[in-house]
Amino acid sequence: MTVLGDRFVKTRPDAPPGFFEVEAAGLRWLAVPDGVPVAEPVDVSPSHLSTVRLELAPPTGAAADEFGRRLAGTHDAGAWHFGVPPDGWDADGYIGTIGLPHALDPVESWGEFYANLRLRPYLRSAYSQGTIDGHQLNVFEQVCTRLEAGRYDDPSEQPCRIHGDLWSGNVVWTANGVHLIDPAAHGGHRETDLAMLGLFGLPQLERVLRAYDEAHPLADGWRHRVGLHRLHPLLTHVVLFGGSYVPQAIAMAHKYA
Protein backbone atom coordinates (compact mmCIF):
# COMPACT_ATOMS: atom_id res chain seq x y z
CA MET A 1 0.00 0.00 0.00
CA THR A 2 1.26 3.47 -0.94
CA VAL A 3 0.27 6.86 0.47
CA LEU A 4 -0.38 9.45 -2.23
CA GLY A 5 -1.61 12.73 -0.78
CA ASP A 6 -5.02 12.14 0.77
CA ARG A 7 -5.30 8.57 -0.54
CA PHE A 8 -4.11 5.06 0.18
CA VAL A 9 -3.33 3.23 -3.06
CA LYS A 10 -3.02 -0.55 -3.41
CA THR A 11 -1.52 -1.84 -6.65
CA ARG A 12 -0.99 -5.27 -8.12
CA PRO A 13 -0.23 -5.44 -11.84
CA ASP A 14 -0.85 -9.21 -11.91
CA ALA A 15 -4.09 -9.09 -9.92
CA PRO A 16 -6.52 -11.90 -10.83
CA PRO A 17 -9.81 -10.90 -12.46
CA GLY A 18 -12.01 -8.81 -10.17
CA PHE A 19 -9.51 -8.71 -7.32
CA PHE A 20 -9.82 -4.99 -6.61
CA GLU A 21 -13.32 -4.56 -8.02
CA VAL A 22 -14.92 -6.99 -5.57
CA GLU A 23 -13.05 -5.34 -2.69
CA ALA A 24 -14.46 -1.95 -3.71
CA ALA A 25 -17.95 -3.45 -4.03
CA GLY A 26 -17.58 -4.91 -0.54
CA LEU A 27 -16.54 -1.58 0.96
CA ARG A 28 -19.52 0.18 -0.61
CA TRP A 29 -21.89 -2.56 0.57
CA LEU A 30 -20.61 -2.34 4.14
CA ALA A 31 -21.00 1.46 4.26
CA VAL A 32 -24.44 1.57 5.91
CA PRO A 33 -25.99 4.20 8.18
CA ASP A 34 -25.11 3.53 11.83
CA GLY A 35 -22.61 0.86 10.77
CA VAL A 36 -18.83 0.88 11.12
CA PRO A 37 -17.29 3.43 8.73
CA VAL A 38 -15.13 2.01 5.96
CA ALA A 39 -12.17 3.22 3.94
CA GLU A 40 -14.10 4.98 1.20
CA PRO A 41 -13.21 3.80 -2.32
CA VAL A 42 -12.16 6.65 -4.61
CA ASP A 43 -10.94 4.88 -7.73
CA VAL A 44 -10.70 1.25 -8.80
CA SER A 45 -9.30 -0.59 -11.80
CA PRO A 46 -8.18 -4.17 -12.53
CA SER A 47 -4.72 -3.30 -11.19
CA HIS A 48 -5.33 -0.87 -8.32
CA LEU A 49 -7.68 0.45 -5.65
CA SER A 50 -7.42 3.85 -4.00
CA THR A 51 -9.30 4.80 -0.85
CA VAL A 52 -9.52 7.90 1.33
CA ARG A 53 -6.48 8.09 3.59
CA LEU A 54 -7.10 7.28 7.25
CA GLU A 55 -5.16 8.99 10.03
CA LEU A 56 -4.18 6.43 12.64
CA ALA A 57 -4.72 6.93 16.38
CA PRO A 58 -4.26 4.74 19.48
CA PRO A 59 -7.15 2.43 20.44
CA THR A 60 -9.34 3.73 23.25
CA GLY A 61 -12.11 2.25 25.33
CA ALA A 62 -14.62 4.75 23.97
CA ALA A 63 -13.69 3.87 20.39
CA ALA A 64 -14.02 0.16 21.22
CA ASP A 65 -17.51 0.70 22.63
CA GLU A 66 -18.57 2.60 19.53
CA PHE A 67 -17.03 -0.05 17.29
CA GLY A 68 -19.01 -2.80 19.01
CA ARG A 69 -22.28 -0.93 18.68
CA ARG A 70 -21.64 0.02 15.08
CA LEU A 71 -20.56 -3.48 14.09
CA ALA A 72 -23.94 -4.73 15.27
CA GLY A 73 -25.48 -2.07 13.02
CA THR A 74 -23.44 -3.25 10.04
CA HIS A 75 -24.51 -6.83 10.57
CA ASP A 76 -28.14 -5.88 11.10
CA ALA A 77 -28.23 -4.23 7.66
CA GLY A 78 -28.68 -7.81 6.50
CA ALA A 79 -28.12 -9.78 3.31
CA TRP A 80 -30.39 -11.63 0.91
CA HIS A 81 -29.00 -15.03 1.84
CA PHE A 82 -25.96 -16.78 3.26
CA GLY A 83 -23.04 -16.52 0.87
CA VAL A 84 -24.51 -13.74 -1.27
CA PRO A 85 -21.85 -11.43 -2.73
CA PRO A 86 -21.99 -7.66 -2.16
CA ASP A 87 -24.36 -5.62 -4.28
CA GLY A 88 -23.03 -5.00 -7.75
CA TRP A 89 -20.98 -8.19 -7.85
CA ASP A 90 -22.14 -11.51 -9.32
CA ALA A 91 -19.08 -13.75 -9.18
CA ASP A 92 -16.75 -15.24 -6.59
CA GLY A 93 -14.46 -13.06 -4.51
CA TYR A 94 -11.18 -13.30 -2.64
CA ILE A 95 -9.95 -13.67 0.89
CA GLY A 96 -6.36 -12.57 1.06
CA THR A 97 -4.94 -13.69 -2.28
CA ILE A 98 -7.03 -16.84 -2.76
CA GLY A 99 -10.53 -17.37 -4.05
CA LEU A 100 -13.66 -17.03 -1.92
CA PRO A 101 -16.74 -18.82 -3.28
CA HIS A 102 -20.03 -16.92 -3.26
CA ALA A 103 -23.52 -18.38 -3.40
CA LEU A 104 -25.32 -16.76 -6.31
CA ASP A 105 -28.48 -18.72 -5.46
CA PRO A 106 -29.90 -19.15 -1.95
CA VAL A 107 -28.74 -22.12 0.12
CA GLU A 108 -30.91 -23.96 2.60
CA SER A 109 -29.07 -23.00 5.79
CA TRP A 110 -25.98 -21.42 7.27
CA GLY A 111 -24.58 -24.87 8.04
CA GLU A 112 -24.88 -25.96 4.43
CA PHE A 113 -23.26 -22.74 3.24
CA TYR A 114 -20.41 -22.94 5.75
CA ALA A 115 -19.65 -26.60 5.07
CA ASN A 116 -19.72 -26.40 1.28
CA LEU A 117 -18.43 -22.90 0.53
CA ARG A 118 -16.21 -22.05 3.51
CA LEU A 119 -14.65 -25.35 4.59
CA ARG A 120 -14.65 -27.97 1.83
CA PRO A 121 -13.01 -25.83 -0.92
CA TYR A 122 -10.00 -25.19 1.31
CA LEU A 123 -9.94 -28.75 2.62
CA ARG A 124 -9.68 -29.99 -0.97
CA SER A 125 -6.83 -27.58 -1.66
CA ALA A 126 -4.97 -28.49 1.53
CA TYR A 127 -5.35 -32.21 0.85
CA SER A 128 -4.21 -31.82 -2.76
CA GLN A 129 -1.16 -29.90 -1.55
CA GLY A 130 -0.37 -32.69 0.91
CA THR A 131 -0.67 -30.26 3.83
CA ILE A 132 -3.34 -32.38 5.56
CA ASP A 133 -3.60 -36.17 5.42
CA GLY A 134 -6.58 -38.45 5.01
CA HIS A 135 -7.17 -38.88 8.74
CA GLN A 136 -7.21 -35.12 9.30
CA LEU A 137 -9.49 -34.66 6.29
CA ASN A 138 -11.92 -37.14 7.82
CA VAL A 139 -12.11 -35.12 11.05
CA PHE A 140 -12.98 -31.98 9.11
CA GLU A 141 -15.52 -33.93 7.06
CA GLN A 142 -17.24 -34.99 10.27
CA VAL A 143 -17.62 -31.30 11.13
CA CYS A 144 -19.05 -30.62 7.67
CA THR A 145 -21.56 -33.46 8.07
CA ARG A 146 -22.77 -32.03 11.37
CA LEU A 147 -23.02 -28.56 9.82
CA GLU A 148 -25.12 -29.86 6.92
CA ALA A 149 -27.37 -31.68 9.37
CA GLY A 150 -28.14 -28.36 11.07
CA ARG A 151 -26.32 -29.09 14.34
CA TYR A 152 -25.11 -25.50 14.62
CA ASP A 153 -27.96 -23.66 12.91
CA ASP A 154 -30.14 -21.13 14.71
CA PRO A 155 -33.43 -20.67 12.82
CA SER A 156 -33.81 -17.19 14.32
CA GLU A 157 -30.47 -16.02 12.90
CA GLN A 158 -30.97 -14.22 9.60
CA PRO A 159 -28.14 -13.66 7.09
CA CYS A 160 -26.03 -10.70 8.14
CA ARG A 161 -23.90 -8.22 6.23
CA ILE A 162 -20.44 -9.27 7.35
CA HIS A 163 -16.91 -8.09 6.63
CA GLY A 164 -15.73 -11.67 6.21
CA ASP A 165 -12.02 -11.16 7.00
CA LEU A 166 -12.26 -9.17 10.21
CA TRP A 167 -8.89 -9.84 11.79
CA SER A 168 -7.24 -7.07 13.75
CA GLY A 169 -5.15 -5.88 10.78
CA ASN A 170 -8.32 -4.89 8.96
CA VAL A 171 -9.57 -2.82 11.91
CA VAL A 172 -8.11 0.68 11.66
CA TRP A 173 -8.23 2.88 14.77
CA THR A 174 -8.49 6.59 13.96
CA ALA A 175 -9.28 9.76 15.90
CA ASN A 176 -12.80 9.46 14.44
CA GLY A 177 -13.30 5.89 15.54
CA VAL A 178 -12.70 2.52 13.92
CA HIS A 179 -12.79 2.13 10.13
CA LEU A 180 -12.76 -1.15 8.22
CA ILE A 181 -10.50 -2.06 5.30
CA ASP A 182 -9.85 -5.07 3.03
CA PRO A 183 -13.17 -6.89 3.28
CA ALA A 184 -14.18 -10.28 1.94
CA ALA A 185 -17.77 -9.12 2.34
CA HIS A 186 -20.75 -11.47 1.92
CA GLY A 187 -23.92 -12.61 3.58
CA GLY A 188 -22.90 -14.60 6.62
CA HIS A 189 -23.23 -15.21 10.34
CA ARG A 190 -22.53 -12.39 12.79
CA GLU A 191 -20.54 -14.77 14.99
CA THR A 192 -18.04 -15.25 12.13
CA ASP A 193 -16.86 -11.64 12.29
CA LEU A 194 -16.77 -11.69 16.08
CA ALA A 195 -14.74 -14.90 16.15
CA MET A 196 -12.28 -13.50 13.63
CA LEU A 197 -11.70 -10.36 15.71
CA GLY A 198 -10.01 -12.37 18.42
CA LEU A 199 -8.11 -14.87 16.28
CA PHE A 200 -4.88 -12.86 16.20
CA GLY A 201 -5.70 -10.45 19.03
CA LEU A 202 -7.53 -7.11 19.03
CA PRO A 203 -7.03 -4.22 21.48
CA GLN A 204 -10.02 -3.68 23.76
CA LEU A 205 -11.69 -6.85 22.45
CA GLU A 206 -13.85 -7.52 25.50
CA ARG A 207 -15.20 -3.96 25.41
CA VAL A 208 -16.03 -4.41 21.73
CA LEU A 209 -17.88 -7.65 22.44
CA ARG A 210 -19.73 -6.24 25.44
CA ALA A 211 -20.92 -3.20 23.48
CA TYR A 212 -21.96 -5.43 20.60
CA ASP A 213 -23.98 -7.69 22.91
CA GLU A 214 -25.72 -4.67 24.39
CA ALA A 215 -26.68 -3.41 20.93
CA HIS A 216 -27.68 -6.84 19.61
CA PRO A 217 -27.82 -9.61 22.23
CA LEU A 218 -25.90 -12.65 21.07
CA ALA A 219 -27.38 -16.16 21.06
CA ASP A 220 -26.76 -18.46 24.00
CA GLY A 221 -23.55 -20.42 23.70
CA TRP A 222 -21.93 -18.13 21.17
CA ARG A 223 -18.55 -18.31 22.89
CA HIS A 224 -18.60 -22.10 22.54
CA ARG A 225 -18.96 -21.68 18.76
CA VAL A 226 -16.01 -19.29 18.34
CA GLY A 227 -13.69 -22.11 17.27
CA LEU A 228 -16.18 -23.34 14.69
CA HIS A 229 -16.24 -19.94 13.02
CA ARG A 230 -12.44 -19.79 13.11
CA LEU A 231 -12.06 -22.98 11.08
CA HIS A 232 -12.48 -21.12 7.79
CA PRO A 233 -9.77 -18.49 8.34
CA LEU A 234 -7.44 -21.13 9.74
CA LEU A 235 -7.94 -23.31 6.67
CA THR A 236 -7.22 -20.37 4.38
CA HIS A 237 -3.95 -19.94 6.29
CA VAL A 238 -3.22 -23.65 5.88
CA VAL A 239 -3.63 -23.25 2.11
CA LEU A 240 -1.64 -20.03 1.94
CA PHE A 241 1.15 -20.68 4.42
CA GLY A 242 1.36 -24.43 4.94
CA GLY A 243 1.37 -26.91 7.76
CA SER A 244 2.19 -24.64 10.70
CA TYR A 245 -1.51 -23.84 11.05
CA VAL A 246 -2.70 -27.46 10.82
CA PRO A 247 -2.35 -28.35 14.55
CA GLN A 248 -4.49 -25.39 15.61
CA ALA A 249 -7.10 -26.09 12.93
CA ILE A 250 -7.37 -29.82 13.66
CA ALA A 251 -7.59 -29.22 17.41
CA MET A 252 -10.54 -26.91 16.83
CA ALA A 253 -12.16 -29.32 14.38
CA HIS A 254 -12.11 -32.12 16.97
CA LYS A 255 -14.31 -29.99 19.26
CA TYR A 256 -17.10 -29.88 16.68
CA ALA A 257 -16.73 -33.26 14.93
Side-chain angles (χ1 to χ4, degrees):
M1 182 179 293
T2 303
V3 177
L4 291 177
D6 62 351
R7 299 183 183 185
F8 284 133
V9 182
K10 298 167 61 176
T11 59
R12 183 177 172 182
D14 63 342
F19 184 79
F20 289 115
E21 293 92 334
V22 67
E23 181 179 338
L27 288 169
R28 296 187 187 104
W29 190 58
L30 293 171
V32 298
D34 300 321
V36 185
V38 303
E40 181 185 351
V42 177
D43 184 49
V44 62
S45 79
S47 61
H48 87 279
L49 170 66
S50 63
T51 60
V52 172
R53 179 178 176 180
L54 301 173
E55 297 295 337
L56 306 185
T60 66
D65 293 342
E66 182 185 28
F67 175 36
R69 291 190 295 267
R70 284 184 171 271
L71 184 58
T74 300
H75 290 166
D76 288 343
W80 287 110
H81 58 263
F82 292 115
V84 70
D87 290 349
W89 194 254
D90 60 0
D92 290 340
Y94 298 90
I95 183 164
T97 58
I98 58 177
L100 181 77
H102 285 143
L104 301 184
D105 298 311
V107 293
E108 290 295 323
S109 66
W110 176 77
E112 179 185 345
F113 153 71
Y114 194 64
N116 291 317
L117 295 183
R118 291 295 174 269
L119 298 187
R120 284 189 170 125
Y122 306 96
L123 290 172
R124 288 193 294 267
S125 294
Y127 184 70
S128 296
Q129 293 171 349
T131 313
I132 62 172
D133 61 29
H135 174 72
Q136 292 165 331
L137 179 63
N138 184 59
V139 175
F140 287 111
E141 276 295 335
Q142 291 177 40
V143 179
C144 290
T145 297
R146 299 191 81 184
L147 283 161
E148 289 182 304
R151 173 65 178 81
Y152 300 105
D153 282 327
D154 178 357
S156 67
E157 181 63 43
Q158 298 300 306
C160 294
R161 188 168 306 205
I162 71 169
H163 179 282
D165 191 15
L166 199 57
W167 72 290
S168 56
N170 289 336
V171 176
V172 180
W173 301 82
T174 81
N176 296 318
V178 164
H179 287 61
L180 302 181
I181 62 172
D182 297 349
H186 61 276
H189 199 302
R190 67 182 70 245
E191 292 177 10
T192 296
D193 270 354
L194 299 180
M196 188 67 174
L197 280 175
L199 183 55
F200 300 113
L202 179 80
Q204 307 280 353
L205 177 60
E206 285 304 316
R207 288 192 68 152
V208 173
L209 296 174
R210 183 168 61 248
Y212 187 106
D213 191 45
E214 291 171 355
H216 185 116
L218 291 159
D220 291 345
W222 72 269
R223 288 187 184 270
H224 172 71
R225 294 184 293 273
V226 164
L228 180 68
H229 289 272
R230 288 179 177 171
L231 285 178
H232 171 239
L234 285 173
L235 285 173
T236 65
H237 279 66
V238 168
V239 172
L240 283 167
F241 306 115
S244 61
Y245 287 92
V246 171
Q248 187 179 4
I250 197 69
M252 287 189 181
H254 274 293
K255 295 179 181 180
Y256 304 99

